[in-house]
């Protein structure tokens, strides 16, 4: 719960300044952080659009607060996102994968939209139209938790605890567990991740 939900909370609200009524676009929406982010954004009154390549995963995303589940490889994705978000585009994009797809996300943002980059699973290089950043007054923010000073982690845990634990206790938030495997089967867990067949987190049991 802390790993996924504190990462999502920090990216959505502390870095992304998500507000009720806004449209948020999530990449890797079926991942552990993705399912946490969709639940948090939905609980905050945002409209959630989730991206995943698997049709089976897209069918399940609605259970976790995603209003519109989309294929990131679909033709003219930015136009689809703009239409579903009300015409202007998404106010916030949360990118968990990085790589060349970031240019598509920027096209899908509304004027003065924000993009928060959290992960680089698809690579650390991308070609970006800087003119679009200027003309549409977009904001791009990079963030990572692991390398932060301990004091910052403590502050996030305290703030997140006050905000998230009541929602967890009430059942409005729940960690999404794909499967639980014994630690001895760690290679099997990694293979499942590499095949992109998981929905939510894999838990290893000592």
């Amino acid at each position: 719960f802390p790993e996924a939900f504190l990462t999502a909370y920090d990216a959505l609200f502390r870095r992304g300044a998500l507000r009720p009524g806004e449209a948020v676009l999530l990449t890797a929406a079926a991942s552990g952080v993705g399912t946490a982010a969709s639940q948090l954004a939905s609980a905050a009154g945002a409209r959630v659009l989730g991206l995943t390549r698997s049709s089976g995963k897209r069918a399940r995303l609605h259970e976790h607060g995603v209003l519109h589940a989309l294929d990131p490889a679909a033709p003219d994705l930015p136009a689809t996102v703009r239409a579903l978000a009300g015409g202007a585009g998404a106010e916030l994009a949360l990118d968990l994968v990085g790589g060349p797809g970031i240019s598509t996300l920027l096209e899908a943002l509304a004027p003065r939209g924000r993009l928060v980059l959290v992960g680089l699973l698809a690579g650390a290089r991308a070609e970006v139209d800087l003119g679009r950043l200027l003309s549409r007054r977009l904001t791009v923010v990079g963030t990572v938790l692991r390398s932060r000073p301990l004091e910052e982690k403590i502050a996030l845990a305290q703030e997140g605890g006050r905000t998230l634990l009541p929602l967890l206790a009430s059942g409005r938030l729940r960690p999404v567990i794909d499967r639980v495997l014994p630690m001895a089967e760690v290679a099997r867990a990694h293979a499942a991740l590499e095949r992109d067949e998981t929905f939510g987190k894999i838990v290893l049991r000592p």
Side-chain angles (χ1 to χ4, degrees):
F1 180 83
E3 172 74 18
F5 280 85
L6 286 179
T7 298
Y9 174 82
D10 180 72
L12 287 171
F13 301 105
R14 299 173 104 217
R15 300 292 177 258
L18 182 63
R19 294 180 286 271
E22 290 189 325
V24 56
L25 179 62
L26 306 175
T27 65
S31 66
V33 176
T35 54
S38 62
Q39 293 178 63
L40 285 172
S42 178
R47 296 167 291 144
V48 183
L49 292 78
L51 302 179
T52 182
R53 294 182 182 276
S54 166
S55 59
K57 293 181 184 182
R58 289 196 296 274
R60 296 180 59 186
L61 285 176
H62 300 288
E63 305 168 16
H64 304 285
V66 175
L67 291 178
H68 304 287
L70 307 170
D71 184 348
D76 208 5
L77 180 66
T80 302
V81 170
R82 286 194 293 269
L84 294 173
E91 283 84 10
L92 175 64
L94 186 61
D95 187 8
L96 306 177
V97 298
I102 195 171
S103 61
T104 301
L105 299 180
L106 292 173
E107 288 184 38
L109 287 178
R112 300 182 70 180
R114 295 96 62 199
L115 185 146
V116 178
L117 179 62
V118 182
L120 299 173
L121 290 175
R125 295 285 184 270
E127 185 172 326
V128 174
D129 181 355
L130 296 178
R132 181 174 297 277
L133 289 178
L134 296 178
S135 64
R136 299 178 69 80
R137 294 172 290 164
L138 305 179
T139 300
V140 178
V141 177
T143 184
V144 66
L145 291 183
R146 189 170 291 114
S147 60
R148 292 187 195 179
L150 178 60
E151 293 78 10
E152 290 188 23
K153 294 178 181 179
I154 291 172
L156 173 60
Q158 291 175 338
E159 180 181 332
R162 290 190 298 269
T163 305
L164 304 181
L165 290 181
L167 295 173
L168 178 66
S170 70
R172 293 190 67 187
L173 300 180
R174 63 182 182 87
V176 179
I177 307 300
D178 180 84
R179 68 194 74 177
V180 179
L181 297 173
M183 187 67 73
E185 296 187 28
V186 63
R188 179 181 163 198
H190 276 281
L193 289 170
E194 290 165 7
R195 291 192 298 268
D196 193 27
E197 66 181 31
T198 59
F199 191 99
K201 287 283 190 183
I202 291 181
V203 172
L204 294 174
R205 184 177 62 249

